Amino acid sequence: MNLPTRLQPIPLNSDTESKPTAAMRQAIASAEVGDEQRGEDPTVNLLQERVAQLLGKESALWFPGGTMCNFVAIKVHTQPADAVIADGMAHIIRAESGGVSFSSRVLVEGIPTERGIFTPDALSQALARLKTVPSPYGPVARLLCVEQTHNFGGGTLWSLAELKAVAEAARAEGLAVHMDGARLFNACIASGVSAAQFSALVDSLWIDFTKGLGAPIGAMLAGSKEFIAQARRYKHVFGGAMRQAGIAAAGCLHALDHHVHRLAEDHANARRLADGLARIPGVRLTTPLPETNMVFFDMGGTGLSNEQVVTALAGRGVRVGQVRGLIRAVTHLDVSRSDIETTLSAVADIVSNSAPGHE
């Protein structure tokens, strides 16, 4: 089968592969800059003000990346030997090099789930496990972390009602609530709930500009003025202060203006990909109806391993990844509807060529 070609591989491995558009590059090139570390970069300051207003928080703080936002937020909310509760496949547990244990010296209690979303009852069970023996033997739970959308859960989103119920249960137990909002805008577009509505349910949260929004650098942590004042100090401790960061913040501002509402296109492309894969014999989807921009699937029923298919797709100019023993495809602004059709043709071709009797 002759497949359509393009100069660069189709980057379905992650939405972190999204690249700045020509218009974003122009905004970056013309950015007004100053010393971010001293609070003198006007473009960074503008972005901080805008994000605080967008999220309905008192203050926001620029960071070069989202993992550092999690490290700093958890550091502010906890003391060494405290316990943090999160879904068992949360990014802070599975994809940040164990950094919260290193930087905050906390115990993270994981809640087992299928899709990254849990109930107040599951939270109560986690708290009960932490209280297996009374104080001072058991750790003190201080913080609940939620992830919106949940990456390894399949791009799943917390509904407003689900998040409200868990946040209220956490606060009733004296816990603060922090949101890893790396893909918060995907949740907003998919659910029709504003960022401020989600934000109102948590004490702190951060948003990422380097995934589907296409900026090359930047994340923003938000919370109360007191929280951000403490976060600023730890940002310096962790080496996150920058100089003329306005060149990066300008890309983030451009993303807010031009790349948020178009996330709906990514969600539609993910649904089209899932629908097409479901029609290929032997392909099993764990996200048959993607909630946002991620499609997880398994090729075992075709007689091929996932590793074989990932390698074969790479040879046809399609980059996908493997997560939790499944193939993961993530749509974003550098993946078009045509790219989805090319990917589906490539998968069908690989499966067809592996069929018994194929010469």
Side-chain angles (χ1 to χ4, degrees):
M1 179 182 296
N2 293 321
L3 299 176
T5 60
R6 59 184 254 167
L7 294 178
Q8 300 294 328
I10 297 171
L12 284 165
N13 187 58
S14 174
D15 46 8
T16 58
E17 294 190 278
S18 59
K19 293 180 172 60
T21 62
M24 180 182 286
R25 290 174 185 270
Q26 185 175 3
I28 289 170
S30 60
E32 187 178 358
V33 299
D35 192 322
E36 185 274 333
Q37 185 176 28
R38 297 178 179 274
E40 297 173 353
D41 189 298
T43 307
V44 170
N45 292 342
L46 176 61
L47 179 63
Q48 290 175 160
E49 293 170 5
R50 183 166 175 186
V51 169
Q53 182 177 27
L54 180 67
L55 298 179
K57 294 299 187 188
E58 290 182 336
S59 192
L61 182 62
W62 162 267
F63 280 83
T67 294
M68 189 180 289
C69 290
N70 276 335
F71 290 173
V72 168
I74 292 171
K75 186 68 176 176
V76 174
H77 283 301
T78 65
Q79 294 294 320
D82 283 347
V84 175
I85 299 174
D87 168 69
M89 292 303 295
H91 203 271
I92 63 168
I93 300 176
R94 305 299 172 193
E96 295 182 1
S97 302
V100 295
S101 296
F102 176 80
S103 59
S104 293
R105 299 184 180 182
V106 292
L107 170 72
V108 184
E109 177 72 19
I111 296 176
T113 71
E114 290 186 4
R115 50 189 291 271
I117 312 300
F118 50 87
T119 63
D121 183 59
L123 173 60
S124 295
Q125 292 176 38
L127 287 166
R129 291 194 296 272
L130 291 170
K131 298 175 182 177
T132 297
V133 292
S135 179
Y137 302 102
V140 177
R142 298 289 189 192
L143 180 67
L144 171 68
C145 290
V146 295
E147 192 173 321
Q148 181 75 306
T149 64
H150 196 288
N151 185 350
F152 300 147
T156 51
L157 63 91
W158 286 84
S159 71
L160 196 64
E162 288 170 327
L163 183 58
K164 183 174 186 292
V166 165
E168 289 179 348
R171 290 203 179 89
E173 295 287 346
L175 277 65
V177 183
H178 170 67
M179 175 186 286
D180 175 336
R183 295 178 175 87
L184 175 61
F185 289 119
N186 287 93
C188 294
I189 294 301
S191 66
V193 176
S194 72
Q197 287 175 289
F198 283 124
S199 173
L201 301 178
V202 301
D203 298 289
S204 62
L205 75 162
W206 64 273
I207 57 174
D208 200 324
F209 295 96
T210 70
K211 295 183 170 64
L213 298 185
I217 302 171
M220 194 71 70
L221 178 65
S224 68
K225 289 182 179 179
E226 180 182 359
F227 172 85
I228 292 299
Q230 294 181 62
R232 184 180 296 278
R233 175 176 180 269
Y234 285 121
K235 174 184 168 180
H236 282 244
V237 170
F238 292 161
M242 303 179 73
R243 301 302 181 187
Q244 286 71 36
I247 59 172
C252 300
L253 285 166
H254 180 87
L256 287 177
D257 288 335
H258 301 283
H259 293 171
V260 174
H261 291 292
R262 63 145 310 281
L263 291 171
E265 299 174 27
D266 301 337
H267 300 171
N269 282 336
R271 291 191 295 271
R272 169 57 190 141
L273 179 61
D275 181 66
L277 288 170
R279 298 172 188 273
I280 300 174
V283 177
R284 179 181 67 88
L285 283 119
T286 59
T287 52
L289 296 173
E291 294 184 54
T292 52
N293 66 324
M294 296 187 186
V295 179
F296 283 67
F297 59 100
D298 178 77
M299 300 295 296
T302 67
L304 295 167
S305 69
N306 289 337
E307 182 67 35
Q308 287 175 311
V309 173
V310 169
T311 301
L313 283 172
R316 289 163 168 77
V318 180
R319 287 167 49 91
V320 292
Q322 292 191 78
V323 174
R324 299 186 71 175
L326 301 167
I327 298 176
R328 184 187 74 162
V330 187
T331 57
H332 51 84
L333 82 169
D334 286 338
V335 177
S336 67
R337 178 60 177 259
S338 175
D339 292 336
I340 297 299
E341 301 305 325
T342 298
T343 299
L344 289 170
S345 295
V347 175
D349 186 49
I350 291 166
V351 172
S352 176
N353 287 336
S354 70
H358 178 81
E359 295 288 338

